[in-house]
């Protein structure tokens, strides 16, 4: 029976494929009591299924592509450990022996018990590991039923991941995989899970409430990533229509490739820089492939995720930064210092400092606030970035600054890191530039404090919107109020661009607004000349720039900024689009 679900569109395009449920909410199995004489046979059946799954996971690990993210191997390793864990295996066998449950019943009963235990665990990251146990149990159940679930690695290339939620760290494992789309119950347009999904360049919808409960394993589904629609079990005529639209879009994408080598300038000849946002060093390749003229935002926190009890050492970080810098081959690479917290928790942060229990993590010890509270960790990262600057063109970008003394402390620590490198005789770029993210409204309203002290600015619209409107960017319950076109947001952006220009300080936008072609003309008209976005968005934004003329944008953009009523604003935006 076909049905349609609605969510938030986060990554464009159409995906058609079979649902691959990660940790389905309900595991539907038979429940019956076995005879006493059947107990040993039932245990043999269980052990055979465990062995089959172990073999499957071993094969998956052995077949991992050489360039697969290291997290992928670690992820399979965790599943193997769970598979052999006494709590799962022995307790299930005990249930078969003592209660005479059939093995499927015993296994799901034991899963229930473990889940309850996990729900009580305070550590948020550990609590989320519940999903791993569910996935392992699901594999065993499938094996018992004689059908193995689709493999996580290189499986069918028409697979669409459906999940209740995926942590940004877990999302990383999908890089380099062959999934066609993503659907999650939770999330907002600029949640970091959505950002990573977008970086994979495949259609995705988040905040599709109940999707993981209503969609079943292997259901045929269509994900319309432009409208946030998921159609389950579509009628043949609908399928035909979407298949047609899918091929049209593929054609459009191929046509866009022609723009790759053309210089980015408006019709009137104004030169615009298009930079890439990356999460991992190897993403620099995608940046180059898209024609980016540099990396405008390297979100280094992703290097720190999936590290259980420690943070990466200086040499490990240095190697990662250097790799991105060398891949970019002389083009500028803006490396942002670690921005953890809110929807990007870090395993190694959960050290009893109260961080994980903060009532409002988005307002708590996040980003530079955490870095300044851990000066040794911060110095290590600064040294690693500085060392990478000897291999290309590097800039340092600091997230979430709002106070003058935070800027001063940060600059002091950068000086200290340089002194330490001098003492150790290690090379770095002595003219390295340091910039600030403008992503807290207070920062946008106190710009002279930044303009006097720093070399450049980068506007983080994702957080700027979140903090200006008091809307959690990851919460789908308030996603409709997360509005990049709210007059207050537009004023903050326009003001920042104007003041930075007046002071002669370079400024870019690296939030998701920069990669959304529907905002390109507006930002150009406000005076933006440097955009940083996911490589997958670069050509479509470029196309918009090539069609724009700054002179004709002036008047309608001024009208947008003077509009405070929704109808007035909409009308002015129309005029921007048609200018
Ligand atoms: C932003 O806030 O706009 C930004 C680019 O940083 P992040 O999305 O990583 O918070
Ligand atoms: Mg931010």
């Amino acid at each position: 029976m076909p049905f349609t679900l609605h969510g938030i569109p986060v990554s464009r395009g159409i995906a058609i494929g079979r649902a691959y449920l990660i940790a389905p909410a309900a595991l539907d199995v038979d429940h019956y009591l076995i005879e006493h004489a059947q107990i040993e046979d039932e245990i043999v059946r269980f052990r055979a299924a465990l062995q089959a799954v172990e073999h499957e996971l071993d094969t998956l690990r052995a077949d991992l592509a050489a360039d697969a993210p290291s997290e992928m191997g670690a992820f399979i390793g965790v599943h193997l450990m769970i598979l052999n864990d006494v709590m799962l295996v022995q307790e299930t066998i005990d249930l078969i022996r003592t209660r005479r449950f059939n093995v499927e019943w015993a296994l799901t009963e034991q899963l229930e018990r473990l889940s309850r235990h996990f729900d009580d665990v305070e550590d948020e990251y550990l609590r989320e590991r519940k999903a791993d146990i569910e996935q392992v149990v699901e594999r065993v159940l499938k094996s018992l039923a004689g059908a193995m679930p689709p493999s996580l690695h290189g499986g069918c290339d028409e697979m669409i991941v459906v999940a209740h939620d995926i942590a940004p760290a877990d999302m990383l494992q999908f890089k380099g995989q062959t999934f066609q789309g993503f659907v999650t119950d939770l999330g907002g347009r600029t949640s970091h899970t959505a950002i990573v999904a977008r970086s994979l360049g495949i259609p995705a919808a988040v905040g599709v409430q109940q999707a993981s409960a209503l969609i079943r394993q292997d259901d045929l589904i269509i994900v319309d990533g432009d409208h946030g629609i998921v159609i389950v079990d579509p009628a043949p005529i609908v399928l035909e229509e979407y298949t047609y639209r899918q091929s049209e879009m593929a054609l459009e994408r191929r046509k866009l490739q022609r723009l790759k080598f053309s210089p980015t300038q408006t019709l009137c000849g104004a030169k615009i820089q298009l930079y890439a946002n990356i999460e991992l060093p190897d993403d620099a390749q995608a940046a180059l492939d898209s024609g980016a003229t540099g990396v405008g935002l390297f979100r280094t926190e992703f290097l720190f995720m999936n590290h259980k009890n420690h943070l990466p050492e200086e040499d490990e970080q240095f190697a990662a930064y250097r790799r991105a810098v060398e891949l970019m081959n002389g083009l500028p690479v803006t490396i942002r210092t670690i921005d953890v917290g809110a929807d990007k928790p870090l395993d190694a942060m959960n050290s009893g400092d109260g961080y994980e229990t903060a009532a409002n993590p988005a307002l708590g010890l996040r980003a530079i606030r955490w870095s300044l509270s851990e000066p040794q960790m911060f110095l290590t990262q600064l040294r690693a970035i500085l060392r990478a600057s000897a291999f290309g063109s590097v800039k340092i970008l600091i997230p979430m600054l709002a106070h003058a003394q935070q800027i001063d402390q940060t600059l002091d620590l950068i000086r200290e890191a340089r002194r330490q490198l001098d003492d150790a005789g290690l090379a770095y770029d002595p003219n390295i530039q340091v910039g600030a993210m403008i992503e807290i409204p207070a920062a946008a309203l106190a710009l002279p404090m930044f303009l006097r002290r720093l070399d450049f600015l980068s506007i983080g619209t994702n957080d700027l919107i979140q903090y200006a409107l008091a809307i959690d960017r990851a919460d789908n319950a308030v996603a409709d109020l997360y509005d990049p076109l709210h007059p207050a947001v537009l004023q903050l952006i326009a003001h920042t661009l104007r003041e930075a220009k007046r002071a002669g300080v370079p400024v870019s936008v690296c939030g998701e607004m920069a990669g959304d072609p529907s905002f390109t003309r507006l930002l150009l008209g406000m005076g933006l000349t440097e955009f940083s976005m996911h490589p997958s968005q670069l050509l479509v934004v470029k196309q918009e720039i090539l069609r724009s003329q700054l002179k004709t944008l002036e008047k309608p953009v001024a009208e947008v900024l003077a509009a405070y009523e929704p109808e007035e604003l909409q009308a002015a935006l129309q005029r921007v689009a048609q200018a």
Side-chain angles (χ1 to χ4, degrees), residues 25-42:
L27 294 163
D28 206 5
V29 298
D30 287 339
H31 297 69
Y32 55 86
L33 291 173
I34 53 171
E35 296 295 335
H36 199 269
Q38 289 175 306
I39 288 176
E40 287 316 313
D41 283 350
E42 201 65 0

Side-chain angles (χ1 to χ4, degrees), residues 192 336 339 366 400 437 439 460 462-463 473:
H192 285 89
R336 185 176 71 180
D339 177 4
R366 230 198 104 171
M400 292 276 293
M437 296 280 295
E439 52 186 345
N462 307 337
D463 279 316
R473 59 194 266 193

